[in-house]
Amino acid sequence: MRCSPLHLRCISVVVFLSVTGTLAADPYIFFDWTVSYLTASPLGTRQQVIGINGQFPGPILNVTTNWNVVMNVKNNLDEPLLLTWNGIQQRKNSWQDGVLGTNCPIPAGWNWTYEFQVKDQIGSFFYFPSTNFQRASGGYGGIIVNNREIIPVPFARPDGDVTLFISDWYTKSHKKLRKDVEGKNGLGPPDGILINGFGPFPYTRELASNAIPFGTINVEPGKTYRFRVHNSGIATSLNFRIQNHNLLLVETEGSYTVQQNYTNMDIHVGQSFSFLVTMDQSGSNDYYIVASPRFVTSVKASGVAILRYSSSQGPALGPLPDPPAELDTFFSMNQARSIRLNLSAGAARPNPQGSFKYGQITVTDVYVIVNGPPEMIEGRLRATLNGISYIPPSTPLKLAQQYNISGVYKLDFPKRPMNRHPRVDTSVINGTFKGFVEIIFQNSDTTVKSYHLDGYAFFVVGMDFGLWTENSRSTYNKGDAVARSTTQVYPGAWTAILVSLDNAGMWNLRIDNLASWYLGQEVYLSVVNPEVDMDSSENSVPGNSIYCGRLSPLQKDQAQRVKFSGSPRSIFVRSRAFLLALFAILVSSL
C-alpha cells in the first residue's frame, strides 16, 4: 500500500509515536469519527439529526483510567463544529476541551484530531457538540471510564452495562431553534422526551395512533445491570424511574456514592448517574422505563422505553409509575442533598475518596455568581452572570493567552454582582493556581439551571431556597459532599461548591441549559501556574491547532480533505513495540 502524507493511517501512526515519549506507560486507543446529518423520526416527524458514524445517539467512548485517546473527527456538517467531553478534566490540557474559549471550531469539510488522556478519573460522562446550538439536534454519546484492575470497584461486577440518554426534544432544527432564542420567541416547551433517540412507547391511545418507534432494553431474570443515565437534553429536568424496580445509586460523574435505593431520580440538564438495577421481578411481562419532565406542565408526553425480560410473555401493564409531584422543588432538593460521597471507596487512585479533607482547607477566594432571566442589552436579547453577558471573541482565549495577544479578554470578572448596567463583554475569572475557591450560584430566574465547570470536579456542599448569606455556611456539608462537574440550582435558590484549582488551563464555567449558554451565561476561569513557565505547567499548544481570528494568518488550509481509510473505527494499542513494528511495516510498503 502506498501512503501519501495526508493518508489517515499514516497520520495516526505518526501521532502515536509522538505521544509515546511522554505517555508510553499507559495504553492508548484511537478512533475515526465522522459527524454528519442523518434523517430520523424520533417523534414521528421526519427531521434532520446529527449523528456520528451513522449513529444517533453516537458511539460510546469506552476507556480505562489513564488511557490516551486519539480521536480524529471529520466535520461533514455544513457549519463549524466542536465536540466537548463533559466531565473529562483534561489535566493540564485545556487545548482539548472543545469549547470556543480554547479551540477554533473545525470548519465544514475539515477534520481535526483530539489527543487527550483520561488522567486519574473513573465514571460516567458524555460528549456533545458545543457550538451553534447543535446539541439540540443530537451529536451526543456516552463516555465510560473504567477502573484500572488494581483498584477495586465498591460493588460486585454487574452482569451488564446499559447506557441511557434521556432528553427533551424539538422537531425544529437547531438552526431554527437558535433563531428563536436570538429573537423573543424563546425555545418554548419541547415536543417530547426521547430515550436513546427513540420516542415514547405507546402507553396511551393517542400515542398508539402515531406508530412512533420506541426503545427496548433486553435483560435476563435475576441479573444485575449497571444503568448509566445521562440527561443529554437542552432545557428540561427529567425524572427517571423503572416500573417496579429500585435504583441503587452507586456513582455520579466520576464519584462513587454512598449506596442508597431510590424509586426515582431527578436528573438535570447535563448530569450523569449510575444505578445498579436487579431484575428481581417475575419477568412474566415487560416494564416501563420512564423519563418525565419536571417543573413544567406543558410537555406533551413522557419518554417511555421498555424493559424486557427474556421470560416476558406480554406487554407492560398498568399506568406509568408515579412521578414526584410535578412542581415540587422541595422534594427534588432534599433528594439531591441525600446523595453523599462514599468516603471509603477508591476511585482512580488506591487512596479512598475521603482522604481529601476538603472541609478542612482554608478558602482563598469567594465568588457569588448570580444569573437572571434574558433581557435586552445593546439592542440584543442576552443573559448575564453578575451583570455580564459573555461574547466569544474571534480568537479563542487560550490561543490569545499563548501568543500574548492583547485586547482579546480582560481578567476582571467581578466576585459579586456590581451596581451597574448589564453589558456584553469578554470578562474572565483570574483564578489562583492551587487556590481553594468557594463559588455560590444564585438563581434569580424562574427555571432550574445546571451549572457546569470544565477541568474539575467540585464538592457540592450546600443548597437552599432564598438568598445566600454568610450565615448559610453553617449548613454546609464539610464531610461527605459528592464531587461532580454539573450541579443544579433551583429557581429562587442557591447552590454552593468548593473547588481546588490544581489544574492549570483556561476552563469554561457555564449554565448547561442551552438557551442560557447561547445567550451569554458563561465565563472562563484562567488558572496559570506562576512558578514555572507555561510549557512546563501545561501541555504545549498542539501541533495540529486550527487558527482563527487574529491568528488566522498562521492557519494552513486543508486543501486536500482527509479521506478516512478502510481501517476499523477504533483500535486499541498497549505496546510501544507493536507501534514501532506497525510503523516499520507501513514504511516498508512505501
Side-chain angles (χ1 to χ4, degrees):
M1 181 191 78
R2 299 289 294 179
C3 284
S4 74
L6 284 177
H7 194 286
L8 178 66
R9 188 175 293 168
C10 296
I11 289 174
S12 298
V13 173
V14 172
V15 168
F16 288 151
L17 291 175
S18 72
V19 298
T20 52
T22 55
L23 302 176
D26 297 308
Y28 47 90
I29 188 168
F30 72 95
F31 298 84
D32 290 342
W33 281 5
T34 299
V35 183
S36 61
Y37 293 119
L38 308 173
T39 299
S41 305
L43 292 176
T45 301
R46 284 174 63 84
Q47 64 181 114
Q48 197 176 67
V49 303
I50 296 175
I52 298 177
N53 290 352
Q55 300 178 43
F56 168 69
I60 293 174
L61 178 59
N62 193 338
V63 295
T64 296
T65 301
N66 294 343
W67 280 16
N68 304 297
V69 176
V70 182
M71 174 71 69
N72 191 59
V73 175
K74 184 178 182 182
N75 178 13
N76 268 3
L77 304 180
D78 58 357
E79 57 187 5
L81 165 77
L82 282 172
L83 291 180
T84 191
W85 319 91
N86 213 49
I88 300 301
Q89 294 175 13
Q90 308 287 3
R91 302 293 300 179
K92 299 191 299 181
N93 197 15
S94 59
W95 299 110
Q96 308 296 324
D97 203 26
V99 288
L100 288 174
T102 58
N103 300 85
C104 297
I106 307 167
W110 286 37
N111 80 299
W112 195 70
T113 301
Y114 291 88
E115 299 179 45
F116 59 88
Q117 185 179 30
V118 286
K119 180 70 173 173
D120 293 337
Q121 286 191 263
I122 57 93
S124 308
F125 312 95
F126 69 101
Y127 60 84
F128 61 87
S130 65
T131 60
N132 293 314
F133 226 77
Q134 291 161 355
R135 178 168 159 183
S137 288
Y140 51 76
I143 303 173
I144 297 172
V145 184
N146 303 288
N147 283 59
R148 292 177 292 163
E149 291 183 3
I150 62 171
I151 310 294
V153 176
F155 46 83
R157 182 184 295 274
D159 298 296
D161 204 298
V162 178
T163 294
L164 293 179
F165 300 100
I166 58 176
S167 64
D168 51 16
W169 191 256
Y170 295 78
T171 55
K172 287 183 179 180
S173 71
H174 68 276
K175 296 177 182 178
K176 291 181 179 178
L177 287 173
R178 73 186 182 216
K179 286 183 179 179
D180 287 345
V181 169
E182 289 168 353
K184 295 184 179 180
N185 294 330
L187 281 177
D191 296 299
I193 307 297
L194 304 188
I195 298 181
N196 278 6
F198 289 102
F201 171 83
Y203 62 93
T204 67
R205 288 184 179 180
E206 179 185 2
L207 289 172
S209 65
N210 293 335
I212 297 172
F214 58 89
T216 300
I217 303 299
N218 294 303
V219 295
E220 295 293 329
K223 303 286 188 180
T224 296
Y225 296 80
R226 183 172 182 173
F227 280 70
R228 303 176 192 261
V229 187
H230 311 275
N231 186 335
S232 54
I234 65 171
T236 310
S237 299
L238 299 171
N239 182 266
F240 176 77
R241 54 202 186 275
I242 302 177
Q243 185 182 28
N244 294 353
H245 290 75
N246 283 325
L247 309 173
L248 181 66
L249 179 64
V250 294
E251 178 259 334
T252 179
E253 297 168 25
S255 290
Y256 289 122
T257 64
V258 172
Q259 295 177 19
Q260 302 178 77
N261 273 312
Y262 295 86
T263 56
N264 63 77
M265 178 61 69
D266 282 349
I267 304 179
H268 305 276
V269 173
Q271 290 187 331
S272 301
F273 287 85
S274 279
F275 307 99
L276 295 183
V277 183
T278 300
M279 304 304 133
D280 55 4
Q281 299 301 298
S282 67
S284 58
N285 55 266
D286 297 342
Y287 299 91
Y288 297 122
I289 301 173
V290 183
S292 59
R294 293 286 277 138
F295 321 121
V296 294
T297 58
S298 52
V299 180
K300 295 178 182 178
S302 295
V304 181
I306 292 299
L307 183 73
R308 178 163 294 157
Y309 284 54
S310 61
S311 56
S312 176
Q313 300 298 311
L317 303 175
L320 300 182
D322 290 335
E326 200 164 60
L327 303 178
D328 189 354
T329 52
F330 288 90
F331 168 89
S332 186
M333 182 180 287
N334 286 331
Q335 184 185 70
R337 288 169 172 160
S338 74
I339 300 170
R340 301 300 177 101
L341 188 68
N342 184 335
L343 298 179
S344 61
R349 297 179 178 180
N351 51 305
Q353 292 181 138
S355 60
F356 184 74
K357 306 293 184 182
Y358 69 91
Q360 300 175 17
I361 301 174
T362 301
V363 170
T364 59
D365 240 335
V366 180
Y367 282 82
V368 179
I369 297 180
V370 179
N371 66 271
E375 57 185 313
M376 298 301 295
I377 304 175
E378 300 176 8
R380 294 179 293 173
L381 188 67
R382 303 293 300 176
T384 65
L385 299 177
N386 283 4
I388 298 175
S389 183
Y390 179 87
I391 185 164
S394 60
T395 307
L397 309 179
K398 188 62 185 167
L399 282 171
Q401 184 185 68
Q402 173 72 25
Y403 288 91
N404 296 315
I405 299 176
S406 62
V408 174
Y409 64 91
K410 292 173 282 189
L411 291 169
D412 65 350
F413 188 83
K415 293 185 176 181
R416 292 174 184 257
M418 302 183 71
N419 186 21
R420 62 187 183 190
H421 293 295
R423 58 189 173 93
V424 175
D425 208 345
T426 307
S427 183
V428 172
I429 295 174
N430 190 7
T432 301
F433 184 62
K434 293 190 177 179
F436 195 67
V437 180
E438 175 185 10
I439 304 177
I440 299 95
F441 302 117
Q442 183 79 54
N443 184 359
S444 297
D445 208 339
T446 57
T447 58
V448 178
K449 301 297 181 185
S450 292
Y451 277 84
H452 176 87
L453 177 59
D454 287 345
Y456 300 95
F458 49 71
F459 294 93
V460 185
V461 294
M463 58 179 67
D464 206 348
F465 294 98
L467 291 176
W468 180 89
T469 68
E470 304 285 338
N471 293 331
S472 301
R473 292 193 177 103
S474 65
T475 67
Y476 284 5
N477 176 357
K478 293 292 190 72
D480 60 357
V482 72
R484 61 187 315 154
S485 58
T486 308
T487 186
Q488 71 273 33
V489 189
Y490 296 93
W494 57 267
T495 295
I497 67 170
L498 296 174
V499 57
S500 176
L501 301 185
D502 60 352
N503 189 16
M506 185 72 73
W507 304 110
N508 185 238
L509 172 61
R510 62 180 176 265
I511 293 184
D512 238 0
N513 307 70
L514 196 53
S516 300
W517 185 6
Y518 189 75
L519 292 176
Q521 285 183 327
E522 64 174 320
V523 64
Y524 282 81
L525 170 64
S526 175
V527 181
V528 176
N529 184 350
E531 298 175 1
V532 293
D533 64 281
M534 186 175 292
D535 289 338
S536 300
S537 177
E538 301 180 55
N539 289 11
S540 57
V541 57
N544 66 339
S545 278
I546 297 174
Y547 293 95
C548 54
R550 290 164 63 180
L551 291 170
S552 294
L554 298 180
Q555 181 59 41
K556 295 181 180 179
D557 185 31
Q558 288 189 12
Q560 179 179 348
R561 300 295 184 250
V562 173
K563 294 181 179 179
F564 288 162
S565 68
S567 60
R569 291 302 178 94
S570 65
I571 297 178
F572 169 75
V573 184
R574 183 180 295 275
S575 166
R576 185 169 188 252
F578 174 83
L579 264 184
L580 292 170
L582 177 61
F583 181 67
I585 292 170
L586 290 173
V587 169
S588 66
S589 67
L590 293 176

